[in-house]
Amino acid sequence: MEGSVAELRETFKSGRTRSVAWRKNQLKALLDLVNENEESIFKALHQDLGKDPVESYRDEVGVIQKSVSYSLSCLDKWVAPKKGELPLLFFPAKGQVLPEPLGVVLIFSSWNFPITLTLDPLIGAISAGNTVLLKPSELAPASLSFLIETIPLYLDNKAIKVIGGGADVGERLLKLKWDKIFFTGSPRVGRLVMTAAARYLTPVTLELGGKCPAIMDALSSPSKTKVAAKRIVGGKWGPCTGQACIAIDYLLVEDKIASTLIELLKKTIKRFYGENIKDLKSISRIVNKHQLQRLHNFLKDPHVAASVVYGGSVNEEKLVIEPTILLDPPLDSEIMTEEIFGPLLPIITLKNIEESIEFINSKPNPLVIYAFTEDETFKKRILSETSSGAVTFNDSMVQFLSDTLPFGGVGQSGFGRYHGKYSFDTFSHEKAVMHRAFFPELEPRYPPWNDFKLRFLKLAYRFDYFGIILLLIGLKRS
Amino acid sequence: MASEVEKKAVFNAESAKDVVKQLRDSFVAGKTKSYEWRRTQLKAMLKMMEENEPQIVAALRDDLSKPELESSIYEVAMLKNSCRLALKELKHWMMPEKAKTSLTTFPSSAEIVSEPLGVVLVISAWNYPLLLSLDPVVGAIAAGNAIVLKPSEIAPATASLLVKLVANYLDSSCIKVVEGAVPETSALLEQKWDKIFYTGNGRVARIVMAAAAKHLTPVVLELGGKSPVIVDSSINLQVATRRIIAGKWGCNNGQACISPDYIITTKDYALKLVDSFKCELERFYGKNPLESKDLSRIVNSNHFARLSKLLDEDNVSSKIIHGGERDKTNLMITPTILLDVPQDSLIMNEEIFGPLLPIITVDKVEDSFDVINSSGTKPLAAYLFTNNKKLKEKFVATVSAGGLVVNDTTVHLAEHTLPFGGVGDSGMGAYHGIFTFDAFSHKKPVLYRSFAGDAFLRYPPYTKDKLRLLQALLAGSILGIIRALLGWS
């Protein structure tokens, strides 16, 4: 392992990864990798998580294709130095900000979107000119194997490597010096990663999670409510059956419209996924026994079990829990205090939908807040009175697809961001460069100090050019 | 005396918790969010500087024997500029930024909203104790946060003055100064902050980051390193020398994070350079620099001992070719130049942070880059004096540092449109101007979607047709979409 990392450092030192041509070639090769292996990816994701090809395309393959194409088309712009405006005082001078690669970077990804969460940060790291070690999660073994076998066939082996293994490998990697660590996963492990990074003053990006709430306000027409219901269902069970950092965790709704909404959700679930647990289709499964038991345990609390209004069945052997809706489980139950990360949707009823703001604020900052509402004042209140990684109005999940919006958390949901240019920036150092000429020279910069020099510099620092002229011709009084 | 010491309460973890709770209550109550509050605080800070310059200069003289001009210009004037810039730009900085949206999220509109992070901790250093304390605070206020400032105990007069001034001028329910040393800082670091901004050295930075990791708190670390100066031949030697002197001894007598640490020049040019230094140093500081009023002293006896040790090492003391005079009582070391000290000497392996300037010679000026890169660490700044275009290009392309300046030293610090920060061992994050505002903000993306244009192909049941349509949509290909819709792909 240390040998591989040393090779990555050698390769970086050689300067090969800095050339824009190299970066573009790698990105093109990554695109080929995905294009030419779609079926294998679909197969691996189906094996690991029971994902349907459409879901796999929508959330993984398609996302990477889009991301690579976008980066390829923007790369020349991104690597160009940015001009800094310099004031007249420094004339003649040139100021710029030049992005440069950080060096050797480590990317940890999690098991729920094993292709996207590994390759999307990789796109940023390559675009910025770094060498990379990828450490995908061992909990998605088929995807891990796919990456280990396929990446060396397409990408520069001396610059981009993949390593398998579990927590022990992760620990060993964290003992080494990196120039950047990019981590997607849980807050618990996030803390360990940052603590390890502190030893070397390695900057980190932590993409964590949280309980992402959806607020459902009364809408002006039944057709809009139907659309909202579809988007809520799609935002809960669509992404990996709720095992996603940006999946809707719980729903807040006014008690007046709760029962209508629940009926609508039930109908939508049946239409999308099937009538019961035996006939479930177009939906992923739980990744492994450990996660299944964790989710099952939520339901074992008798008060929680009593609040189930739809679903609730568990098939331990097939690792399936059917889409489940709960109505007003106790607020101190685990299902309401921990990130669910699964197909259980608690619905909390409120007397007034505006109370949702206080409710959300009583919990740690989530990665995203979804709000279905047409009330512009309410939207403004949500924006200014809550804090979250992102806010999406009247839909779920789609902000993930944007190349122009930063994707990242705040507070317990993490820090740092990526997607589009933000990926490039997260793996770059923005180096400030100033070019000066030998003339003209400003005598007052130099000692021995006297009152004239002090007055001159004070005016200079205020960019008071007129005052300077007056001082120079002896007309300025202090 | 004893009773006064007893009266001063111990600031421990409980006290720290109380302070944070108070500030969090203020923040949650929305006190710091409004444009008016931020503007009022920034104006108050400007007034604070304008009305107390003599006291500030006196405190800096007490702490560092800092010459009045350095205090007035590099601390007070720079801070006033920061306040003025923030006041001028605040409305603009606070405005949401429109973001483009693409076909994949059509129809939609998007913006990025800046919001304060919450309750933030600023820990500053002793060498520019006013500037490094209040400059980050200006940005934190502009971004709408509640703030605890922990100034360095190694500059106690300035720290006490800050406590007094901040209490008198700023909103104490939202901005507090906590004085103290290691125990008080540790108590503060145990608390949960929304951001920690630290200026100082790498050793303490590791402690700060590890403490921040417990709460997943993001940090900005402004550290230091050995900032090298490459001096080529065929330049205006006098101007170059003066600019190096201004950046070295003119900045707190070399005790600055971006002071030129050491020089690299060719064997052929070295003696000319040394002569130029001797000449200009005398012009600036006189024949007897120990008595010059224009040099800061060494901050305390610890650092004096540290610097003396660097000079007294075997094989180093013999390389002193100028200066080297010390006055232990007054904590003064004169501008000292050394020529060709061994690469493995202490002075070449730690950040000097003092008035000692080693000159390393190489055969060709291009060899300088190897010298810099062999250190294995990235400094906060690097400087090059040359008229050779190719050398400039190579310098900019291959030397990694927080910031680079060609044909001058340290001036990039004053330029607020350039981000100021380190990389690798010299730190992470950046500030100055809008970058400070950004450092203390969360940039929240907001996507507005309409109910129209609901793409049925997002939803199950999943079919092969939906797959084809999705492929076309994500590829952004209009033709592909049409074909898929018509069932033709």
Side-chain angles (χ1 to χ4, degrees):
Chain A
M1 178 203 290
E2 283 75 4
S4 297
V5 180
E7 191 173 21
L8 289 174
R9 198 157 283 291
E10 275 308 307
T11 308
F12 181 74
K13 263 171 105 170
S14 77
R16 180 159 87 243
T17 62
R18 285 176 183 255
S19 93
V20 179
W22 179 86
R23 306 182 204 192
K24 286 187 174 170
N25 281 338
Q26 293 305 295
L27 291 175
K28 289 199 189 106
L30 189 57
L31 195 53
D32 289 340
L33 186 159
V34 172
N35 285 342
E36 293 169 13
N37 293 280
E38 259 189 43
E39 288 303 319
S40 308
I41 295 175
F42 289 159
K43 200 156 146 238
L45 290 169
H46 185 80
Q47 212 174 311
D48 283 333
L49 296 152
K51 283 196 194 189
D52 183 289
V54 175
E55 190 181 326
S56 294
Y57 184 79
R58 184 197 66 199
D59 295 346
E60 308 234 31
V61 175
V63 170
I64 297 301
Q65 286 173 339
K66 177 183 69 67
S67 219
V68 176
S69 305
Y70 184 77
S71 300
L72 271 167
S73 68
C74 294
L75 191 61
D76 288 319
K77 219 172 41 182
W78 294 348
V79 299
K82 282 202 291 267
K83 263 187 101 174
E85 283 286 320
L86 293 181
L88 196 61
L89 190 69
F90 289 109
F91 182 83
K94 196 173 74 162
Q96 23 168 240
V97 179
L98 196 63
E100 57 174 34
L102 290 166
V104 184
V105 311
L106 174 62
I107 297 176
F108 284 106
S109 53
S110 69
W111 50 261
N112 54 342
F113 293 86
I115 302 297
T116 302
L117 297 177
T118 309
L119 299 183
D120 211 357
L122 176 63
I123 292 169
I126 292 175
S127 307
N130 301 277
T131 56
V132 188
L133 180 62
L134 300 166
K135 166 72 186 68
S137 170
E138 76 283 14
L139 299 178
S143 305
L144 174 60
S145 296
F146 168 80
L147 290 168
I148 288 182
E149 280 158 22
T150 327
I151 284 183
L153 299 176
Y154 286 81
L155 301 177
D156 182 340
N157 288 347
K158 292 203 160 61
I160 300 161
K161 294 183 188 290
V162 193
I163 190 170
D168 54 325
V169 172
E171 268 175 54
R172 275 172 63 201
L173 288 171
L174 287 174
K175 292 204 165 79
L176 307 172
K177 179 181 189 329
W178 303 92
D179 298 306
K180 172 99 189 191
I181 300 177
F182 187 101
F183 171 82
T184 307
S186 72
R188 186 189 65 84
V189 182
R191 286 185 183 85
L192 297 173
V193 170
M194 188 172 171
T195 308
R199 279 180 57 218
Y200 294 107
L201 295 172
T202 300
V204 303
T205 293
L206 302 179
E207 296 270 333
L208 311 177
K211 289 181 79 63
C212 298
I215 301 172
M216 178 69 188
D217 193 7
L219 299 174
S220 60
S221 76
S223 63
K224 289 192 176 139
T225 310
K226 279 208 187 83
V227 171
K230 280 200 287 184
R231 292 176 178 182
I232 290 170
V233 172
K236 174 67 174 188
W237 294 282
C240 209
T241 199
Q243 301 166 108
C245 52
I246 49 170
I248 294 176
D249 187 280
Y250 65 99
L251 185 68
L252 295 163
V253 68
E254 258 178 27
D255 47 22
K256 293 196 281 295
I257 57 173
S259 42
T260 338
L261 179 66
I262 291 175
E263 287 313 302
L264 204 47
L265 292 175
K266 288 183 189 174
K267 276 208 197 89
T268 315
I269 290 171
K270 289 185 184 158
R271 200 169 75 233
F272 284 2
Y273 308 117
E275 294 281 328
N276 57 48
I277 192 170
K278 285 204 270 312
D279 298 321
L280 272 188
K281 51 186 167 29
S282 296
I283 193 171
S284 303
R285 59 148 218 273
I286 309 304
V287 67
N288 58 26
K289 235 195 169 89
H290 172 76
Q291 288 294 320
L292 184 109
Q293 272 164 8
R294 182 185 66 83
L295 290 162
H296 201 173
N297 283 341
F298 285 142
L299 297 176
K300 288 196 176 135
D301 177 335
H303 296 290
V304 173
S307 69
V308 173
V309 296
Y310 181 83
S313 304
V314 176
N315 183 331
E316 285 216 11
E317 208 195 293
K318 293 213 165 87
L319 294 177
V320 171
I321 298 181
E322 65 169 326
T324 300
I325 302 178
L326 306 94
L327 180 57
D328 284 322
L331 294 181
D332 58 357
S333 55
E334 270 190 13
I335 202 175
M336 283 312 293
T337 56
E338 310 263 310
E339 185 177 2
I340 296 171
F341 222 71
L344 318 174
L345 178 69
I347 297 182
I348 307 294
T349 58
L350 306 164
K351 280 222 146 27
N352 184 320
I353 196 64
E354 313 242 335
E355 293 166 28
S356 51
I357 291 180
E358 208 187 307
F359 190 96
I360 292 173
N361 286 340
S362 69
K363 296 192 182 300
N365 294 340
L367 200 45
V368 60
I369 294 175
Y370 299 110
F372 293 86
T373 179
E374 294 168 285
D375 182 342
E376 295 300 319
T377 317
F378 189 40
K379 283 186 195 175
K380 288 205 172 73
R381 275 198 67 199
I382 292 172
L383 278 184
S384 62
E385 295 177 34
T386 64
S387 181
S388 55
V391 178
T392 296
F393 287 113
N394 298 330
D395 208 334
S396 64
M397 303 296 297
V398 286
Q399 75 280 3
F400 186 77
L401 294 177
S402 168
D403 294 306
T404 54
L405 290 177
F407 183 79
V410 68
Q412 295 293 100
S413 49
F415 55 81
R417 55 208 189 152
Y418 72 128
H419 284 185
K421 178 165 196 291
Y422 300 102
S423 294
F424 176 86
D425 290 343
T426 220
F427 289 103
S428 298
H429 164 54
E430 303 216 303
K431 184 165 74 179
V433 182
M434 194 191 254
H435 290 263
R436 291 262 293 145
F438 286 103
F439 294 106
E441 257 291 76
L442 273 185
E443 282 303 316
R445 277 179 72 176
Y446 308 115
W449 303 131
N450 56 43
D451 199 50
F452 171 84
K453 290 183 179 179
L454 181 56
R455 282 157 62 200
F456 181 96
L457 284 174
K458 282 190 173 176
L459 291 167
Y461 269 67
R462 292 202 62 149
F463 306 116
D464 185 353
Y465 301 111
F466 187 60
I468 291 175
I469 294 173
L470 289 180
L471 179 71
L472 286 172
I473 60 179
L475 284 184
K476 186 131 182 99
R477 307 222 177 282
S478 58
Chain B
M1 276 312 274
S3 60
E4 248 186 63
V5 169
E6 280 165 356
K7 268 200 220 139
K8 190 175 179 175
V10 167
F11 186 89
N12 54 17
E14 271 309 304
S15 337
K17 214 165 170 190
D18 284 338
V19 166
V20 174
K21 178 157 191 320
Q22 249 186 76
L23 289 175
R24 196 159 289 289
D25 288 341
S26 296
F27 180 73
V28 165
K31 281 178 153 195
T32 59
K33 281 206 164 177
S34 75
Y35 172 74
E36 287 70 32
W37 181 88
R38 305 183 202 192
R39 200 179 151 75
T40 312
Q41 296 307 297
L42 292 171
K43 282 173 92 170
M45 195 178 300
L46 196 51
K47 200 156 160 242
M48 180 168 104
M49 292 296 113
E50 284 163 358
E51 293 176 357
N52 294 278
E53 196 167 324
Q55 289 92 316
I56 293 170
V57 169
L60 290 168
R61 198 179 301 117
D62 269 347
D63 283 333
L64 300 150
S65 299
K66 201 174 270 215
E68 182 189 348
L69 188 135
E70 284 192 44
S71 300
S72 265
I73 301 304
Y74 298 140
E75 302 237 28
V76 177
M78 282 205 48
L79 190 61
K80 290 205 296 205
N81 264 7
S82 257
C83 289
R84 286 193 200 105
L85 179 73
L87 278 164
K88 182 161 154 245
E89 298 290 323
L90 188 59
K91 261 216 165 79
H92 174 65
W93 290 350
M94 284 175 72
M95 258 175 15
E97 199 191 304
K98 279 243 159 310
K100 281 212 309 230
T101 55
S102 63
L103 194 64
T104 40
T105 54
F106 181 83
S108 61
S109 69
E111 55 181 13
I112 299 176
V113 169
S114 288
E115 58 177 35
L117 287 167
V119 182
V120 307
L121 174 63
V122 175
I123 302 175
S124 64
W126 54 260
N127 58 338
Y128 287 82
L130 187 86
L131 183 68
L132 298 178
S133 295
L134 296 180
D135 208 2
V137 171
V138 167
I141 290 173
N145 299 277
I147 304 155
V148 168
L149 169 62
K150 160 67 187 72
S152 173
E153 70 279 15
I154 298 180
T158 312
S160 301
L161 183 60
L162 280 169
V163 172
K164 225 176 68 190
L165 292 178
V166 168
N168 287 343
Y169 284 82
L170 302 180
D171 181 351
S172 343
S173 69
C174 303
I175 304 170
K176 294 190 188 295
V177 184
V178 172
E179 272 184 286
V182 173
E184 289 77 7
T185 313
S186 306
L188 287 170
L189 285 174
E190 274 175 44
Q191 310 309 314
K192 177 176 182 341
W193 303 94
D194 297 305
K195 184 106 186 192
I196 300 178
F197 188 106
Y198 170 78
T199 307
N201 65 60
R203 189 187 60 81
V204 177
R206 283 168 171 80
I207 299 172
V208 171
M209 190 170 168
K214 294 206 176 73
H215 297 285
L216 295 170
T217 299
V219 302
V220 170
L221 304 175
E222 295 272 330
L223 311 176
K226 292 182 78 61
S227 301
V229 187
I230 303 175
V231 181
D232 192 12
S233 48
S234 315
I235 52 169
N236 185 319
L237 185 54
Q238 190 193 36
V239 171
T241 314
R242 300 166 99 198
R243 290 178 179 182
I244 295 172
I245 296 176
K248 176 80 170 185
W249 297 282
C251 284
N252 211 24
N253 206 8
Q255 300 164 104
C257 52
I258 47 169
S259 263
D261 187 279
Y262 67 102
I263 294 193
I264 312 172
T265 192
T266 55
K267 291 190 174 11
D268 294 334
Y269 204 64
L271 293 175
K272 271 179 95 174
L273 181 60
V274 171
D275 281 337
S276 182
F277 268 121
K278 291 186 179 182
C279 178
E280 297 303 322
L281 278 170
E282 190 177 311
R283 204 195 299 249
F284 288 0
Y285 302 115
K287 280 198 178 348
N288 199 348
L290 272 180
E291 292 172 10
S292 169
K293 294 256 169 303
D294 295 331
L295 283 170
S296 297
R297 68 160 200 265
I298 306 304
V299 67
N300 61 22
S301 46
N302 277 350
H303 280 277
F304 186 91
R306 180 182 66 81
L307 290 163
S308 296
K309 192 160 161 232
L310 295 182
L311 283 177
D312 293 337
E313 201 186 359
D314 283 342
N315 291 333
V316 171
S317 47
S318 51
K319 308 282 190 213
I320 298 175
I321 52 167
H322 181 86
E325 284 140 25
R326 302 173 231 180
D327 177 345
K328 200 161 172 192
T329 331
N330 292 315
L331 293 176
M332 261 312 288
I333 300 180
T334 58
T336 304
I337 302 180
L338 306 95
L339 186 56
D340 279 326
V341 296
Q343 281 282 49
D344 59 358
S345 53
L346 282 175
I347 201 176
M348 282 310 293
N349 284 287
E350 64 176 66
E351 186 178 0
I352 294 170
F353 222 71
L356 322 175
L357 182 69
I359 300 181
I360 306 293
T361 58
V362 291
D363 291 323
K364 299 191 322 290
V365 75
E366 288 81 5
D367 296 340
S368 313
F369 300 123
D370 291 331
V371 174
I372 297 175
N373 291 333
S374 70
S375 73
T377 60
K378 301 178 186 179
L380 192 50
Y383 307 110
L384 168 67
F385 286 88
T386 186
N387 278 318
N388 180 331
K389 187 155 178 262
K390 272 203 149 59
L391 202 63
K392 286 184 196 178
E393 283 167 11
K394 183 146 191 237
F395 178 66
V396 171
T398 61
V399 175
S400 184
L404 304 179
V405 185
V406 175
N407 293 334
D408 211 329
T409 63
T410 70
V411 284
H412 62 303
L413 184 94
E415 183 33 57
H416 65 82
T417 59
L418 294 175
F420 182 78
V423 63
D425 285 306
S426 51
M428 57 182 81
Y431 74 129
H432 285 181
I434 194 178
F435 302 104
T436 323
F437 178 87
D438 290 347
F440 287 103
S441 300
H442 168 53
K443 301 285 182 174
K444 183 164 74 180
V446 182
L447 185 65
Y448 296 89
R449 290 265 293 151
S450 81
F451 289 101
D454 201 29
F456 67 96
L457 44 79
R458 282 171 64 176
Y459 307 114
Y462 297 136
T463 62
K464 277 211 156 40
D465 287 332
K466 283 191 181 178
L467 178 58
R468 273 191 286 264
L469 253 174
L470 258 177
Q471 283 167 325
L473 185 72
L474 275 170
S477 145
I478 306 276
L479 211 58
I481 294 170
I482 296 174
R483 282 166 58 198
L485 277 171
L486 296 174
W488 282 354
S489 352

